[in-house]
Structure formats: structure tokens, C-alpha cells
Amino acid sequence: MLDGIYGASFFLSKLLDNKGCTDLQEHPLSAEDGTEGYDLTSVTRLSYAARLKSKIEYIKNYIITNNLADLGSHGASPGRYGQVIRTEQAALPDGETDAGPVSTGEEGAEALPEIPGRLSVSGQTISANNGDGLQDVIEKVATYAGNSEIPGFRIKNDMAKDMTLGLSGNQGDPKNTAERPSEQSPGGIGDIVLSFPSDKEGPAPIKTGSIAAENSTPDREDYGIIKVIGPLIKEENADLAGAMKAIDRVAERFDIGYPDEGRGEARSPEYGSRPDDDEISQPLLKINNEIPLAEGGPSRVLKAAVAAVNAIYQDGETVPPGVREETAIRYPDAGSGSPAVNSERLPAESNDEGVSVFMKKIAGFAGHVNELLSLLNESDDPIEKNDGAIREAIKGVLIPAKHTMPSRMILTEIAGDIEQQAVQSGIKINEQGLLSIDGKTLGRFLSSKGDEGVSIVKSFANVLYDRMLMYLGAGSLGLHVVNDSSGRHAVHNADGRIDTRLEEKRQELEKKMDVLQMLIERSRTLKDELAKQL
Amino acid sequence: MQSSFNSMKVRGMDNTADIDFSQWTIRALKEEDIDRFIRLLVKREEFTGRLCREGHVISRDEAREALKREEEVLARLEEEKARVIREIETLSLCMKAVRAYKAQFPIPPLHYYLKIKKNLLKS
């Protein structure tokens, strides 16, 4: 617990370091927060910081886990999970259409020139063959954002007039250029443009909101920008209440319920309930019917949300060496490579924050596995259609675990387990996380072995998935995975059968509940009657 | 003039016909298995209704004892109710997770696990 408090304290200090935090007196927490008029005590601040951090983590996880972010997709879009997608911003020259997301891998970066006024991620930032480009960018953003010398990375307090989030495109408002910004004013009202130079020499100016809209010039965007949700961050505000509201607003926009906060209850009385599948597929339709579902629109918006959340999250996570480990969940016997890890070994003393941190890491990891399985299952001919994508996805599973994800002590152990499973499947993994089977690359192996090769890799993928479920704590749900007759995996309950009787079981429990309620009422009556006689 | 719960003899209930209301209560309380405990209380209901309708009066000592037992019964029932509620919630989560399953995105969303973990931590 102390670890968590310490981490939250540091996070708080980072927030308070921002100039805008001195504005707490000018921007007191609202009545909605229940603290209006109060000077926040350190405890309250800690609480806010912890809650804020938790919320950010949750939203980030939600977006990633539910594949809302579209951080990469297969097929027409070659971008991979974990890569930054070069996305054309809404600042399109007249008559030009949005080309949609484009991979910023080496080829993508070279293929598309930098176009002033468009959202892009600098090729300088996204290095060639960079499967971890997103992380790279996030870290850079965090670095700059966390630099107190840089004005602009501030969290807005007053959100009231920015309900559109710069996304819905108030065409009637000439100042709102979010939907159709002009060349002269690439940033929309409420937008923030985080810029960093490609030469890496010193911090770049960060332009925010209407200031950016009014003062920015196209050449300022030449070196690559990330545009994030506008109202989330404003130059002049950085207090915790504003941050909290900002995050809440993001959650509302994405209709995300928190597991333990009331903000998301508009969706469902049960926080955290997953939106229906059709809602997931068209999230913005649910979020704001006014948002035109133009081609590329949703993914642009969602990517912006992820960038925003990532940037803030990373800011909060900018902790000195050692602190990160302290705030991370303690994991017994970590680093042993033992396959005996499972969710039950989460230490009992872990606080919610620790669990959340753990889940965040696992969720990112799981995203790769999800994608891998998706690739393997979506096509009857994965060799021809998805060879490269499958290879990339498998790398995506292993490389983050070994090299890039934080808190290696957890993921290294998981990677060790998966590696062991891979070996049992006849698959070897080198130091770079690349696979080789019978001395061949995965692609060549698949090509040479045909269906047998596919079967081996599928088996491996299913093992990965099984392991992921285990690490994610699916055991507590009584679920596990087996192959069904078609060779695809299916969720089974603990006794190994596809659980079609869950509803019956619940009805049975509800009947029992009725009986219990009747007995309780009768017992209370008796108790009252007896008490009267005494 | 006074009658008591103890004087309520029950007939026509298989081989337990001679067990009176209090005995049903005591027997239920001795039962460790919660389902049997509930079944015994359900059987006791036949006599509870009659007792209430007929308005029997019992002595102070008997009432005190009966009250003590009833409080114990109530506590166990409440505890079981809370447990069933938790079980239903978990089952609902499980059902949602199963429904959420897709070959394309096979890992259930994160919040199922977060909620489970939080419950575990609280307990």
C-alpha cells in the first residue's frame, strides 16, 4: 500500500510541477467533485492522483483490449499492433480525400511525404522496421510533456465549452477546424498539437487549442506532430480536478464505465460491462451521433484518444529508477522463467493499483496474442495471405515481453513460459524474438510444410492464448480453451464442456435467492414477534 | 392458558412428525450443510405459518431462547444470501465473458478480470 501511495505521490508531484497547478485556488474543484471550496489536503491530492492514474490506466486498457484503437490492422492496412500509424489528419487540402491509416514502418514512412497541416508521426521518430513505434512515440511525448520547460502540456480545467472535443466538426463554427481545418489553422479549437523536432535537438514548441489554431503555421508541423484530443489538455490548466474531468470526459466519449467509479454508469448499471459487439464496431456512432462516420474518422479519433491517454499516462509514469518497480506489483519468484506462474500468485497484499499496473502490461501483451490468433483464424490460407502479418504478430508477442515492455520481471517470466511452450511445439525463438522452425524462418516453414506447418503454428498460438487466459486470471472465471472440432479454439468452462448451461445455473441461483428471501422475511417476522414478547 | 412453540406438535411429516417447531429450528441450526439447513427451514415454514396465525404466546424464557435461535437463523440466511449474490454476479461475468468470446478477439475484455481481482482483494 505504501508503495502505491509513494507512486501516487510521485505522480502527483509531476502534476503539481506543472505551472497550472498553482491555479488550484482559481479553479477549485467543482461541486460535482464534492470538494468545492476546500483547499485540497495532501491526502486528497494523493487520492485524486491515484484515482486519476487508475482511470487513465483503465481507459487505456479498455481501448487497447477492445481493439478500439485500431493501432494497426491487417489486410488493407499493413500497420501492426504496436506500430504508430501514419494517419492523415483532417487538415486535408481541398478536394483531397483521406487516404486512411498507413503504416509508418520503413516502407510506409518513405512512401508518404510529410504534408504540412496533416497529422503524422515523424519518420524520424518511427524508425525503420520499428514494431514498437508507438511506444517510442509515447515515450518521446512523455519526455517532452514531462519537461517543465515546455509550455503547453497542460490539462484543461474548464471543459464546458469543449464538448465537441474537436471531433464532431461544428462546421458552423469557423473557428472549429477540427473537421475541416484550413491550411493556416491546422489545429482545431480545443485541439492540442504536440510537436517534436526530427533532429531531436531540444524540445519543440507545443501548440494548444485556439492558440494553435490561430498562430500555427504549416511549417511548424513539418517535423511531425501528434494530435490528441483537444479539451483533454490545455495550456493554462493543469490541476487535478481538470485532469479528472478530462479523463472522465474521455470515458464518457467512449462510453467507458469504470470498474469502481460512477462516471460510466450511463452505459450500464454494471460498471465495466462490455458494449455490445455492434457498438464496438461502430463506437463513435454510440458515442456521438453527430460525428460523421466518414471513412477513417473513427480510427483517427480513437488513435487520438489513445495518444492523449498514453501521453498523460506516460507523464504520470515518468518515475525515477526504482520507483516503477516499487509501484509495480510484487511478483514472487519473478524472473525464474518458471512456467508455474498463474494469476493466483498475485500477492494478496497487492493493492488495486498494483493489479491495474499488472493488467495493463498483460493487456498489451494479450493484444498481440489476440491479433495473432485472429490472423490464424481468419483465413483458410494463412500462408498466402498472412505470412508476413503472422510473423509480425508473433514477434509482437515476444519482443515486447523480452525487450520493450516495462517491469520485465513479470513479462520475462511469461515469455519464458511461452518460449518453453514454443520449444515443445518445435519452435525456437532467438534473442530477437524471431521464430525459427526446423532451422527455417516461419514464413519458409509455413510455405514448405503447408497444412502441417499451419497446424503447428496454430497449436502454438492456441498455447499462447491459453497462457494468456491463465495470466489474465481467467481461471477465476472457470474458463479455459480447447480446440473444437473445426480446429479452432473455444471457451470452455472448468469441467471441459462448452458451457451452455450458465443461464440455467443462474436461474437456479435466482430461485434459491427467492427461497432465501422468503425465509429471511419470515425469520425477521418471527424475530420481531418474539422480541415483542420480551 | 399459555401455549408455546414447544407445545406445537407436528404430525404428518414423515418420520419427523413429532418434532416441534423449536426442534426444527434446532435441527436446522445444527446442520452444517447450508442447503440442508435451508431445506429444514422450508419444512419449518409449515409450522411457522400456523404459529403466526394462531397467535401462540410463550413464556419469557422460551421467547428469549427462541429469539436467540432466530437471530442465529437469520444471520446464516443473510450470509448465504450474500454468498448467492456474489455467485450470481460471478456467473453473470462468466456468461458475459463467454458471450464476448470471438475467434477473432478471443481474450475477454480486461474489465472482467479487473472486477474479479477487486472482489478477490476485498475478500
Side-chain angles (χ1 to χ4, degrees):
Chain A
M1 189 65 184
L2 288 175
D3 294 341
I5 290 174
Y6 182 67
S9 174
F10 188 86
F11 176 67
L12 175 73
S13 69
K14 293 298 292 182
L15 280 175
L16 294 180
D17 281 343
N18 291 330
K19 176 172 64 72
C21 273
T22 59
D23 295 337
L24 267 179
Q25 295 300 322
E26 298 176 26
H27 302 283
L29 297 178
S30 69
E32 186 182 10
D33 296 302
T35 53
E36 186 173 23
Y38 292 91
D39 183 18
L40 294 178
T41 65
S42 59
V43 173
T44 307
R45 285 172 173 159
L46 280 177
S47 170
Y48 266 72
R51 285 169 57 200
L52 173 61
K53 187 175 176 183
S54 172
K55 285 182 177 185
I56 293 170
E57 285 177 341
Y58 186 80
I59 293 170
K60 184 181 173 187
N61 287 337
Y62 186 92
I63 292 171
I64 293 174
T65 307
N66 289 290
N67 293 282
L68 294 178
D70 190 22
L71 293 176
S73 57
H74 42 270
S77 174
R80 298 257 53 79
Y81 190 101
Q83 284 182 309
V84 171
I85 306 302
R86 177 193 301 276
T87 304
E88 302 209 345
Q89 230 292 336
L92 297 174
D94 291 343
E96 190 166 335
T97 56
D98 191 341
V102 180
S103 167
T104 54
E106 184 177 23
E107 295 177 2
E110 291 175 355
L112 284 182
E114 295 288 339
I115 302 174
R118 292 187 180 183
L119 172 65
S120 64
V121 178
S122 163
Q124 179 71 27
T125 302
I126 310 302
S127 60
N129 299 318
N130 191 341
D132 310 309
L134 179 62
Q135 188 71 22
D136 195 15
V137 170
I138 290 170
E139 287 174 2
K140 285 185 180 299
V141 171
T143 301
Y144 286 115
N147 188 334
S148 60
E149 295 178 1
I150 299 178
F153 193 79
R154 298 290 184 266
I155 300 169
K156 181 173 168 50
N157 184 32
D158 179 12
M159 309 288 292
K161 59 186 178 183
D162 293 304
M163 287 297 292
T164 62
L165 289 173
L167 302 172
S168 61
N170 292 344
Q171 287 89 342
D173 181 357
K175 289 183 179 178
N176 190 329
T177 55
E179 193 63 23
R180 292 178 57 81
S182 65
E183 290 273 340
Q184 291 74 28
S185 183
I189 294 293
D191 293 341
I192 184 173
V193 180
L194 298 178
S195 303
F196 38 88
S198 56
D199 58 9
K200 300 182 178 179
E201 290 179 359
I206 296 176
K207 291 162 288 186
T208 60
S210 57
I211 296 174
E214 293 167 6
N215 299 335
S216 62
T217 54
D219 62 331
R220 300 290 287 274
E221 279 74 44
D222 280 347
Y223 37 70
I225 58 173
I226 294 175
K227 179 185 175 194
V228 296
I229 286 184
L232 196 60
I233 307 166
K234 284 283 186 175
E235 182 172 9
E236 63 273 18
N237 297 287
D239 62 83
L240 290 173
M244 190 71 78
K245 285 182 180 177
I247 298 304
D248 284 342
R249 188 61 51 84
V250 174
E252 287 171 6
R253 280 287 152 180
F254 290 96
D255 217 2
I256 297 170
Y258 302 126
D260 58 350
E261 296 280 354
R263 285 290 185 168
E265 59 191 340
R267 156 175 291 289
S268 163
E270 185 175 28
Y271 298 153
S273 62
R274 189 185 191 190
D276 295 332
D277 293 331
D278 56 344
E279 291 174 332
I280 291 176
S281 63
Q282 290 186 322
L284 291 183
L285 192 60
K286 174 69 178 177
I287 293 164
N288 185 344
N289 289 328
E290 294 178 0
I291 297 177
L293 290 173
E295 181 179 337
S299 79
R300 266 208 311 271
V301 171
L302 290 165
K303 273 191 285 257
V306 170
V309 172
N310 275 338
I312 295 177
Y313 176 79
Q314 290 295 321
D315 187 35
E317 281 286 284
T318 308
V319 294
V323 174
R324 182 185 298 275
E325 292 301 315
E326 289 297 312
T327 55
I329 198 168
R330 294 181 185 279
Y331 211 65
D333 304 320
S336 65
S338 164
V341 183
N342 60 54
S343 59
E344 293 175 359
R345 289 177 57 195
L346 289 174
E349 66 272 22
S350 300
N351 53 37
D352 287 356
E353 184 186 12
V355 172
S356 181
V357 169
F358 175 80
M359 287 300 180
K360 177 183 80 71
K361 292 163 184 170
I362 296 298
F365 197 63
H368 294 293
V369 179
N370 256 342
E371 186 172 9
L372 172 60
L373 290 170
S374 169
L375 290 167
L376 288 169
N377 283 301
E378 73 173 3
S379 170
D380 293 333
D381 189 4
I383 301 173
E384 186 173 328
K385 295 183 179 176
N386 289 311
D387 173 23
I390 290 171
R391 187 163 57 244
E392 287 299 312
I394 291 176
K395 282 167 62 180
V397 171
L398 297 164
I399 290 178
K402 282 193 164 186
H403 302 292
T404 62
M405 294 289 282
S407 191
R408 291 183 192 173
M409 65 181 185
I410 295 172
L411 291 171
T412 299
E413 190 167 2
I414 296 175
D417 182 18
I418 291 174
E419 196 163 352
Q420 187 174 351
Q421 298 299 325
V423 170
Q424 290 176 6
S425 302
I427 298 172
K428 292 180 180 177
I429 305 165
N430 66 19
E431 284 299 314
Q432 286 73 44
L434 298 174
L435 300 181
S436 69
I437 309 173
D438 292 344
K440 300 174 182 173
T441 64
L442 179 65
R444 288 185 179 177
F445 175 80
L446 289 172
S447 300
S448 64
K449 291 287 185 178
D451 290 343
E452 182 189 357
V454 173
S455 176
I456 289 173
V457 176
K458 274 191 174 183
S459 172
F460 175 55
N462 279 324
V463 167
L464 290 184
Y465 173 53
D466 207 13
R467 285 293 178 278
M468 290 315 304
L469 277 184
M470 184 176 76
Y471 295 123
L472 282 166
S476 57
L477 294 180
L479 302 176
H480 67 272
V481 180
V482 297
N483 287 329
D484 63 17
S485 56
S486 67
R488 299 185 177 196
H489 43 267
V491 176
H492 285 219
N493 64 347
D495 64 6
R497 291 170 292 180
I498 293 177
D499 202 338
T500 57
R501 303 185 309 279
L502 289 173
E503 181 60 35
E504 292 175 21
K505 191 173 178 182
R506 188 169 70 171
Q507 287 175 359
E508 190 179 314
L509 284 172
E510 285 171 350
K511 285 179 185 173
K512 184 176 183 179
M513 192 70 185
D514 291 341
V515 173
L516 278 170
Q517 193 57 41
M518 180 270 291
L519 289 173
I520 286 171
E521 287 173 6
R522 182 58 59 92
S523 182
R524 281 181 182 151
T525 304
L526 275 171
K527 181 168 156 284
D528 292 344
E529 289 297 321
L530 288 165
K532 282 180 189 172
Q533 295 190 34
L534 288 177
Chain B
M1 185 67 184
Q2 283 191 340
S3 63
S4 75
F5 287 155
N6 286 329
S7 66
M8 289 294 298
K9 299 295 181 184
V10 182
R11 300 190 184 282
M13 293 291 295
D14 301 324
N15 58 347
T16 61
D18 290 330
I19 302 178
D20 61 20
F21 175 85
S22 295
Q23 288 302 312
W24 278 102
T25 307
I26 292 168
R27 183 176 164 184
L29 286 172
K30 284 181 178 174
E31 186 57 70
E32 291 184 0
D33 184 280
I34 189 67
D35 289 331
R36 288 181 196 162
F37 169 74
I38 291 171
R39 279 200 292 271
L40 289 172
L41 289 180
V42 170
K43 286 183 179 179
R44 190 186 72 157
E45 276 303 291
E46 285 193 22
F47 321 120
T48 312
R50 282 173 56 187
L51 283 173
C52 292
R53 282 195 302 274
E54 296 170 9
H56 290 275
V57 179
I58 59 175
S59 70
R60 186 175 294 271
D61 288 344
E62 287 172 331
R64 190 173 290 114
E65 287 298 315
L67 179 60
K68 189 178 174 184
R69 285 194 293 270
E70 209 54 42
E71 286 173 343
E72 198 175 339
V73 166
L74 194 55
R76 284 188 69 176
L77 287 172
E78 296 277 12
E79 185 182 348
E80 177 63 6
K81 180 185 172 184
R83 193 194 65 78
V84 170
I85 289 175
R86 286 197 302 272
E87 199 172 332
I88 288 175
E89 284 181 352
T90 303
L91 197 58
S92 297
L93 280 174
C94 195
M95 290 169 66
K96 282 191 174 184
V98 170
R99 279 201 295 265
Y101 168 79
K102 284 182 176 181
Q104 192 175 5
F105 303 116
I107 296 180
L110 179 67
H111 46 253
Y112 297 123
Y113 307 113
L114 280 175
K115 193 157 188 173
I116 290 289
K117 292 301 173 193
K118 283 178 178 292
N119 290 339
L120 288 176
L121 287 171
K122 284 175 184 173
S123 63

